[in-house]
Amino acid sequence: MANNNLQFKTNYDASSKIEPFYKGGKVQISKDEKYIFCTCGSHVNVLEINTGKIVHSVEHDDQEDITSFALSYDDELLVTASRALLLKQWDWKQAQCTRSWRAIHTVPVASMTFDSTSTLLATGGCDGTIKLWDVVKQYCTHNLKGSSGVVHLVQFHPDISRLQLFSSSLDCGIRMWDLRSSQLLCVLQSHYSAVTALSFSPDGGTMVSSGRDKICTVWDLKTRKAKRTVPVYEAVEGVVLLPKNQDFSQIGVKSKDLHFITAGSKGVLRVWEANTARCVYTQTLASTLTAVSEEEEGEEKDDDPRSLTHLLHLPDSSRLATVTAEHNIVLYQLPGLTTQQQFVGYNDEVLDVKFLGKGDSHIVVATNSCQLKVFELLTNSCQILYGHTDTVLSLDVFKNGVLLASCAKDKSVRVWQMDSDSGHIHCVAQGSSHTNAVGSITCSRMKASFIVSGSQDCTVKVWDLPADLSTTGADIHQITARATEKAHDKDVNSVAVSPNDKLLASGSQDRTAKLWSLAGEGSLGLLGVFRGHRRGVWAVCFSPIDQVLATSSADGTTKLWSLQDFSCLKTFEGHDASVLKVIFVSRGTQLLTSGSDGLVKLWTIKTNECVKTLDAHQDKVWGLHGSRKDDKMVTGSADSNITVWVDVTEAELAEEQAKQEDQILKQQELSNLLHEKKYLKALGLAISLDHPHTVLTVIKAIRQGEESRKLLEKTVLKLRVDQKESLLRYCVVWNTNARNCQDAQAVLQVLLTHLPPEELLQYQGARTHLEGLIPYTGQREGERVSNMGQDEEMDTTPLSQPFFVIDKEKGMDSGSEEKRDGDDSGQEEDPNCPEEEEEEEEEDDDGDVSITKKASTNGVHAESGESTETNGNHHSDSEESSEEEDQEEEEKDEMTVKVKCLPVSSTPQCQTFAS
């Protein structure tokens, strides 16, 4: 039946994943412009801009949703606030919580920000109060009252010498606070809806505010008066002042007057001249975007995917970043506002996925949305294709890899083309004559000559394509169906074209699959019917080499059928629920199936055996596609995840397993050597593993013994030159951490005392390593001595003991009461995870769900407050305190070196820990 000499596949290994990383809420970009920080339920995820990968993620132990966060100006500290009223300070690069305290706010924190010295943190609460925290000395410095309702915006004046804070709340006024006196200087009244953003001029004398009341206001901060109100005719979510010393003539800036950019509900960036209140430039959307019609110009839709929710300025690289209502993050390059990168934060349900591009460099994804998303696998950067007006349900790619077809609930089909040079994709053809949602589509296999669609209207249509699909300008070929056939009694769930373009197969909700002839002009000829499935047929697929058709069904089975007599040749049973997709791999000798149980199974046809089950996803796997080289596959699921899998042979598996076993043996050998106190062999073995933490463990073991200094000296000096070189490299890293600096200093003392400088300088990267030691090594001891007399009350208090403030109105008693309440915080936390409820899928009269109903009916967008399933550990405040208590003094000293403290009010309104 098939080539028996072919090597069977035995396993697949996940090589990359595209997962949700942003579901709404705050977005912040690091000062060095390398990372994007964003919330995703109970996590703050850190996205590396260059690679598009999630490189770090922090999560509260209580698994409560994070309500706000702030990254310090120097990119060192990350502070998060959760619904459990806990504030946590993170070493985000290590994903470690370094400090935890209970907020004084009585309800969750809605906003927070750092000042430019990275010393003061302001938190705005839903209780209408603003707290300021000194994160170096660890106490609450201010308790600002007077705001009405949720304080959704807090921002420091960029000139720190002014010591001013701006805030906005429910009454839409902008409050201006003097932090020296803790007094409210004034309330700037102009907006009558929520104030969304503030932007300051370089000299700090002018401020522009934006609001959802469709205006921007230019303020003179010296007179505290509005200089100009600019009507922008859209709800504005972000505003950025343009620098005056750059050439922005490409975007309409012709004078040196003040100009600013707005982003809002219309989904485009616009440039405004402040003095004249005139719009001088409106961004032109890319050709793949649906143009805004004149009728829609004055309308604003709450769920418009084009609307923008954030606007961020990256001054060093002269870029802008926008965030859309569909949780997409787009980076634009100034001065031309050209699109540089796009990242998709949340995909919702993945309904179909296919490889695309030469060498399968991209994947195209249909999500529970009217947009198509095309990811570049190397960078995770994404193109978003606009055109369909309702949820896209199915995709297929032509043999050349640069043409693809899509169909949607909007009753239409579209053909898209990728430019081989730029990678840019645009729509080249469309057709619409179905009377209901189009749930399946397939392309011709030999050449790009036609497409076939199957619909909920029970018909199958064949669409001929023009010989030349190239388009000029915005023109799109309008295609018509050359053949329409009433194919089934119920929804057509799947269609497939044979490798020679002469046959068509269709699968339906009516439990049958049918074979059709495509040879006739203008009509489809029925050749036979495949009967045997007990429920609807989800997918049909032709074998690449045999006269065989594969079908998968909601009855949990996959069947192979003969195209000669329409008999069932084999039945594959193994999925516990509907089998949603089936494809041939290994040149037709094996099958891959995916199901609503979240599993992907690999079957060998000859033996009728399932050789591998991949626990791929947590929900229905709608998307399953193999690469043209047959060396990898991609899956997409209703759990919003996309995974690329590579074929792993038995030899590779054996090699990987051998490596793992070798690592285990070496770890065991290392443990034995330490137990036997054979430190030289242990240190050499740890260095050979290239695990700095393991090497550090050996160093600590040596320093715990008798005559540790002599023993360390003897051991280190007996190492080979390459081993000493690695040890020096590790010491640079250890020395930056207060916990490990003493071990690093001990090793450095040996190396620097006993090795001549000329030998040290011959080590690879030695000069760089030594320069990295200078900021820490030379000053550390002196700093500790100089700081011993400062803030001594801080040194005896656990890090996790709650900050508290003494309200001037209540006096000392209220402060003590607040402290007692905070001390009980560890007992208030519930260590139990919330239980999740599973919703049962609604089925039709056959117990199935139609292909056109596979998308969620809960809407396209994820709620910004949606929580995700997590598996974090649970610790109370007291547990965290005990773990970190022994590190407190070093951490405080280290932080004091890096951050300059601000002057605060001399009035007795604040209280330190030990007071």
Side-chain angles (χ1 to χ4, degrees), residues 833-866:
C833 294
E835 297 181 358
E836 293 192 1
E837 298 180 0
E838 297 183 355
E839 295 184 0
E840 295 186 359
E841 181 186 81
E842 295 183 6
E843 299 184 343
D844 62 9
D845 54 0
D846 288 328
D848 305 333
V849 179
S850 166
I851 192 78
T852 55
K853 297 177 183 176
K854 64 184 179 181
S856 169
T857 57
N858 294 328
V860 176
H861 310 300
E863 297 294 334
S864 59
E866 182 181 351

Side-chain angles (χ1 to χ4, degrees), residues 837-901:
E837 298 180 0
E838 297 183 355
E839 295 184 0
E840 295 186 359
E841 181 186 81
E842 295 183 6
E843 299 184 343
D844 62 9
D845 54 0
D846 288 328
D848 305 333
V849 179
S850 166
I851 192 78
T852 55
K853 297 177 183 176
K854 64 184 179 181
S856 169
T857 57
N858 294 328
V860 176
H861 310 300
E863 297 294 334
S864 59
E866 182 181 351
S867 63
T868 56
E869 183 180 352
T870 51
N871 297 314
N873 297 324
H874 303 272
H875 302 288
S876 66
D877 288 353
S878 58
E879 289 173 332
E880 292 173 355
S881 174
S882 63
E883 292 173 358
E884 300 177 354
E885 194 168 348
D886 59 341
Q887 308 163 28
E888 178 183 359
E889 186 172 347
E890 288 89 348
E891 289 182 350
K892 285 175 195 159
D893 292 339
E894 189 175 10
M895 286 181 64
T896 307
V897 174
K898 296 180 181 179
V899 187
K900 177 183 176 182
C901 294

Side-chain angles (χ1 to χ4, degrees), residues 164-211:
Q164 291 177 348
L165 179 75
F166 294 80
S167 68
S168 186
S169 59
L170 191 63
D171 61 6
C172 309
I174 302 171
R175 284 175 166 75
M176 185 175 176
W177 304 87
D178 180 13
L179 300 184
R180 289 188 176 87
S181 62
S182 297
Q183 297 299 315
L184 177 65
L185 295 177
C186 65
V187 180
L188 305 177
Q189 296 284 4
S190 172
H191 296 276
Y192 54 89
S193 188
V195 178
T196 53
L198 304 175
S199 185
F200 296 86
S201 62
D203 62 5
T206 303
M207 178 182 76
V208 177
S209 61
S210 63

Side-chain angles (χ1 to χ4, degrees), residues 24-26 38-45 57-70 78-84 86 88 90 108-110 112 864-867:
K26 184 176 180 178
C38 48
T39 54
C40 188
S42 60
H43 295 257
V44 171
N45 291 321
S57 183
V58 302
E59 179 191 19
H60 277 229
D61 293 334
D62 52 24
Q63 293 186 337
E64 289 281 355
D65 281 0
I66 290 175
T67 58
S68 188
F69 72 90
L78 176 69
V79 177
T80 59
S82 74
R83 291 189 182 277
L86 276 180
K88 286 181 178 286
W90 301 86
V109 173
M112 63 168 65
S864 59
E866 182 181 351
S867 63

Side-chain angles (χ1 to χ4, degrees), residues 83-154:
R83 291 189 182 277
L85 305 183
L86 276 180
L87 294 174
K88 286 181 178 286
Q89 182 176 309
W90 301 86
D91 176 357
W92 59 269
K93 295 176 183 177
Q94 303 296 326
Q96 291 181 348
C97 178
T98 58
R99 187 168 292 116
S100 175
W101 70 95
R102 187 167 289 275
I104 305 173
H105 295 281
T106 57
V107 286
V109 173
S111 57
M112 63 168 65
T113 187
F114 272 94
D115 75 328
S116 58
T117 68
S118 303
T119 304
L120 281 183
L121 172 72
T123 58
C126 296
D127 56 4
T129 67
I130 302 167
K131 319 289 184 188
L132 268 70
W133 314 86
D134 188 322
V135 295
V136 176
K137 297 184 179 180
Q138 305 171 38
Y139 66 94
C140 182
T141 64
H142 299 73
N143 183 21
L144 307 178
K145 298 181 178 180
S147 302
S148 59
V150 177
V151 181
H152 60 265
L153 175 65
V154 286

Side-chain angles (χ1 to χ4, degrees), residues 545-598:
I545 58 171
D546 291 324
Q547 298 289 307
V548 171
L549 181 77
T551 61
S552 64
S553 168
D555 61 14
T557 67
T558 301
K559 292 179 181 288
L560 285 184
W561 307 84
S562 168
L563 299 184
Q564 304 294 331
D565 56 10
F566 308 104
S567 62
C568 180
L569 303 175
K570 288 179 180 289
T571 299
F572 302 87
E573 297 180 303
H575 286 278
D576 295 330
S578 299
V579 185
L580 304 175
K581 282 287 174 70
V582 57
I583 60 173
F584 284 90
V585 292
S586 304
R587 292 184 58 190
T589 61
Q590 290 181 296
L591 290 173
L592 278 170
T593 59
S594 65
S596 56
D597 52 8

